[in-house]
Amino acid sequence: MDDGAEIEQRGRIDKFIRLSGIKPTFTVTSGGKSLHPHLVLTDKVEIKLRTYFSRMFAIALLGDPAVCNPHQPMRAPGFFRKEKGKLQVLDSYSGVKYSASELTQAFEKFFYSE
């Protein structure tokens, strides 16, 4: 998420957790105010389904649609962002992983609760 203050971004993540029943596996800060939450699957899926999940997550969090591009690099913690002069930091880690079925149900729950 690039839009909004950090507190607003955290509020969107909290709302997603509350309404969907799932929480990000981990969240990375980008060396600025942006939060980058990630969901991890238990099994490999086709790129089409991975892209679908990325789109649903970006829409749910009012995130940057660029993250839906399969070629978009993931923001990984511990790396120095030369262009920003800042370190990317692990903000939170839950370790939870989800099946494709669990994610599908969670997104349905989130969007139908709106």
Side-chain angles (χ1 to χ4, degrees), residues 28-34 36 75 81 84 86-89:
V28 176
T29 62
S30 65
K33 68 172 178 64
S34 298
H36 301 273
R75 302 282 167 112
R81 289 192 69 190
K84 287 196 173 212
K86 294 187 178 182
L87 183 67
Q88 296 181 165
V89 178

Side-chain angles (χ1 to χ4, degrees), residues 1-4 12 15 56-65 110:
M1 293 179 286
D2 292 329
D3 188 39
R12 286 186 235 153
K15 180 181 177 182
M56 293 300 99
F57 202 33
I59 291 168
L61 297 177
L62 303 175
D64 185 348
F110 176 82

Side-chain angles (χ1 to χ4, degrees), residues 10 25 31 37 44 54 67 71 79-80 85 87 89-91 105:
R10 289 191 189 282
T25 305
K44 293 179 184 179
S54 293
V67 299
H71 303 292
F79 286 90
F80 186 76
L87 183 67
V89 178
L90 181 64
D91 181 70
Q105 291 172 9

Side-chain angles (χ1 to χ4, degrees), residues 8-104:
E8 294 170 308
Q9 293 176 31
R10 289 191 189 282
R12 286 186 235 153
I13 293 170
D14 290 342
K15 180 181 177 182
F16 180 78
I17 293 168
R18 185 172 31 83
L19 296 179
S20 71
I22 64 170
K23 60 184 174 181
T25 305
F26 63 94
T27 303
V28 176
T29 62
S30 65
K33 68 172 178 64
S34 298
L35 298 175
H36 301 273
H38 296 268
L39 300 170
V40 176
L41 290 164
T42 55
D43 297 303
K44 293 179 184 179
V45 296
E46 295 289 327
I47 193 70
K48 187 174 182 178
L49 184 56
R50 175 258 179 227
T51 302
Y52 169 78
F53 288 143
S54 293
R55 286 182 181 145
M56 293 300 99
F57 202 33
I59 291 168
L61 297 177
L62 303 175
D64 185 348
V67 299
C68 303
N69 181 344
H71 303 292
Q72 176 73 16
M74 184 177 92
R75 302 282 167 112
F79 286 90
F80 186 76
R81 289 192 69 190
K82 191 174 180 180
E83 75 277 9
K84 287 196 173 212
K86 294 187 178 182
L87 183 67
Q88 296 181 165
V89 178
L90 181 64
D91 181 70
S92 67
Y93 177 77
S94 69
V96 295
K97 296 179 181 180
Y98 302 98
S99 68
S101 171
E102 288 173 315
L103 280 187
T104 299

